[in-house]
């Protein structure tokens, strides 16, 4: 029988699933809190239908021989290329069920975000919020906007991420704190982050192609140029968006406008350090602050929408929590440290970023199945929050339009997984309920797919997961 802790963790998974499936539409809307923007139209909510069969605590564990017989013919197909590595394990016990190159570090693409999610939940906790502050500058009327690393910060109610912290709220606090002193200048402090704003291993089109951005400690709407248009595109299933080249400068200019200042009243700067007994209004004293959504919600956004900018911000939170520089290299080192602290085989992982955009990332399938089993076995309850954002096959996120073919329909509603895609790289890792109700974790990584084989590779990966869902494999 499943231990009580595991049953509780799995209950969290299913509760999270309900959160995701009750509200159809773009991921940003599913994860939002509070009232929608004034420009949004009210859409009737349909009655939710049943998805995701619950785990049966008494279900038999598939045999290695049974799983091998079912999956071996699917692993060596040409659609998956010459490098296919796979691991299947039982969530309740962590026991390996089937493996095929399971310990071989492979390019993971966006499946990397599972590591980012687990390490940031371990390092910061699900309730942690990222703070954006405004402090008094060195001269009267100067306001320093201090970036804390919240990528979801909005300018106003029309922001891309519902429920996000807002600059107009912060501007109101600053105006009240200044009293009769008129703002004269905005200084933008992004010194929290270090190193390059683009990871050297990113493809050349990442910074300009709509799925990545310059990673700075201060930005609004994930550096999207037009959050309103981006929300409309997301509602139509298009998640790329034009990003601004200098997110910190654009955010500072938006804040200046809210304070009644022109764009040329913005400059780079560093917040003065205020003494512990500094009076209000003295240089460095706080004029206001706003907080991000809690970490559990940020993780949901990152995984559900495969949000690369949010992923890089959360990776830097791991770095900050472990005393590392908030940079690509510092974040990678910190995630490695936290993975090792959790007992995961960190030697089977080499990271360059937190999003999976870098082709120099390497993760083994067995590390991913170990990670998912750890999050689901109840030994670290805070890690169960990773499951809430996992897309549901045939229903939500990056799996919404998959598992509709005859060969894969058995996986619809039974598979929850994170996908990963780069040119010639395709991956999937997550959970699947077998025909008998046993909950398994699986990871399939392939990084040598034919250049024009995107659709075929995805179907081949889906067949593997759907086969696990269909078989008792005993």
């Amino acid at each position: 029988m499943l231990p009580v802790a595991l049953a509780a963790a799995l209950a969290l998974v299913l509760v999270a699933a309900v959160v995701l499936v009750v509200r159809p539409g773009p991921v940003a809307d599913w994860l939002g809190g509070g009232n929608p923007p004034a420009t949004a139209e009210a859409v009737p909510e349909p009655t939710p239908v049943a998805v995701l069969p619950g785990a049966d605590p008494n279900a038999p564990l598939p045999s290695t021989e049974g799983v091998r017989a079912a999956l071996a013919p699917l692993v060596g197909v040409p659609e998956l290329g010459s490098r296919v590595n796979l691991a299947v394990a039982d969530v309740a016990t962590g026991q390996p069920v089937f493996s095929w190159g399971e310990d071989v570090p492979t390019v993971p693409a966006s499946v990397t975000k599972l590591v980012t999610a687990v390490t940031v939940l371990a390092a910061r906790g699900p309730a942690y919020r990222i703070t954006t502050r405004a402090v008094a500058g060195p001269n009267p009327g100067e306001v320093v906007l201090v970036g804390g690393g919240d990528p979801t910060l909005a300018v106003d109610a029309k922001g891309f991420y519902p429920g996000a912290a807002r600059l107009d709220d912060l501007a109101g606090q600053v105006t009240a704190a200044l009293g009769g002193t008129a703002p004269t200048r905005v200084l933008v402090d992004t010194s929290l982050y270090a190193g390059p704003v683009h990871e050297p291993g990113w493809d050349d089109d990442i910074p300009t192609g709509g799925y990545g951005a310059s990673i700075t400690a201060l930005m609004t709407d994930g550096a999207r140029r037009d959050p309103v248009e981006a929300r409309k595109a997301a509602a139509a299933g298009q998640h790329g968006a034009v990003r601004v080249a200098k997110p910190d400068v654009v955010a500072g200019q938006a804040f200046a406008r809210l304070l009644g200042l022109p764009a040329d009243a913005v400059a780079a700067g560093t917040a003065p350090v205020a003494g512990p007994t500094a009076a209000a209004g003295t240089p460095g004293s706080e004029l206001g602050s706003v907080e991000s959504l809690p970490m559990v919600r940020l993780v949901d956004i990152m995984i559900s929408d495969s949000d690369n900018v949010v992923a890089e911000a959360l990776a830097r939170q791991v770095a900050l929590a472990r005393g590392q520089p908030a940079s690509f290299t510092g974040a990678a080192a910190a995630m490695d440290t936290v993975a090792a602290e959790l007992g995961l085989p960190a030697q089977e992982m080499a990271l360059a970023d937190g999003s999976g955009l870098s082709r120099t990332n390497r993760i083994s399938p067995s590390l991913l199945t170990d990670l998912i089993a750890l999050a689901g076995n109840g030994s670290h309850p805070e890690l169960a929050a990773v499951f809430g954002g996992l897309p549901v096959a045939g229903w939500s996120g990056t799996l919404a339009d998959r598992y509709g073919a005859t060969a894969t329909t058995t996986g619809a509603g039974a598979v929850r997984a994170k996908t990963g895609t780069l040119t010639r790289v395709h991956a999937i890792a997550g959970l699947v309920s077998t025909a008998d109700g046993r909950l398994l974790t699986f990871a399939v990584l392939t990084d040598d797919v034919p250049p024009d084989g995107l659709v075929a590779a995805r179907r081949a990966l889906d067949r593997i997961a759907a086969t696990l869902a269909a078989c008792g494999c005993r």
Side-chain angles (χ1 to χ4, degrees), residues 24 45 250 284 326 361 423 449 471:
E45 305 265 356
V250 171
N361 288 333
T423 303
V449 171
C471 86

Side-chain angles (χ1 to χ4, degrees), residues 250-426:
V250 171
Q253 290 172 341
F255 191 59
R257 287 195 300 272
L258 292 167
L259 293 175
L261 297 172
D264 60 8
V266 177
T270 302
V273 178
T277 59
T282 58
S285 62
E286 187 166 290
L287 301 175
S289 66
V290 291
E291 293 186 332
S292 73
L293 295 163
M295 188 57 66
V296 61
R297 298 278 299 284
L298 297 179
V299 167
D300 281 351
I301 291 169
M302 173 183 66
I303 293 179
S304 296
D305 204 21
S306 202
D307 194 311
N308 297 309
V309 176
V310 172
E312 297 303 345
L314 298 192
R316 280 160 174 73
Q317 288 299 317
V318 184
L320 292 168
R322 288 296 182 269
Q324 293 279 358
S327 63
F328 286 106
T329 55
M335 288 193 288
D336 186 85
T337 296
V338 174
E341 291 171 356
L342 292 170
L344 297 170
Q347 72 278 5
E348 296 179 9
M349 175 177 75
L351 298 181
D353 66 18
S355 63
L357 289 174
S358 177
R359 291 181 179 274
T360 62
N361 288 333
R362 296 292 185 273
I363 302 176
S364 72
S366 61
L367 184 145
L368 291 167
T369 54
D370 287 351
L371 176 151
I372 295 168
L374 179 69
N377 69 16
S379 62
H380 293 270
E382 72 279 7
L383 302 185
V386 72
F387 298 121
L390 280 180
V392 181
W395 186 263
S396 66
T398 54
L399 294 181
D401 58 356
R402 292 166 63 167
Y403 292 84
T406 302
T408 60
T409 53
T410 53
V415 174
R416 288 180 65 89
K418 181 73 193 77
T419 59
T421 304
L422 293 169
T423 303
R424 304 196 69 177
V425 176
H426 299 277

Side-chain angles (χ1 to χ4, degrees), residues 83-131:
R83 278 173 49 90
V84 185
N85 298 313
L86 176 151
V88 180
D90 180 49
V91 172
T93 64
Q95 176 182 335
V97 175
F98 176 66
S99 58
W100 185 298
E102 73 281 9
D103 296 330
V104 178
T106 312
V107 182
S110 279
V111 169
T112 303
K113 293 182 178 72
L114 292 175
V115 177
T116 304
V118 163
T119 55
V120 78
L121 288 168
R124 285 301 202 196
Y128 184 83
R129 296 172 185 262
I130 302 170
T131 302

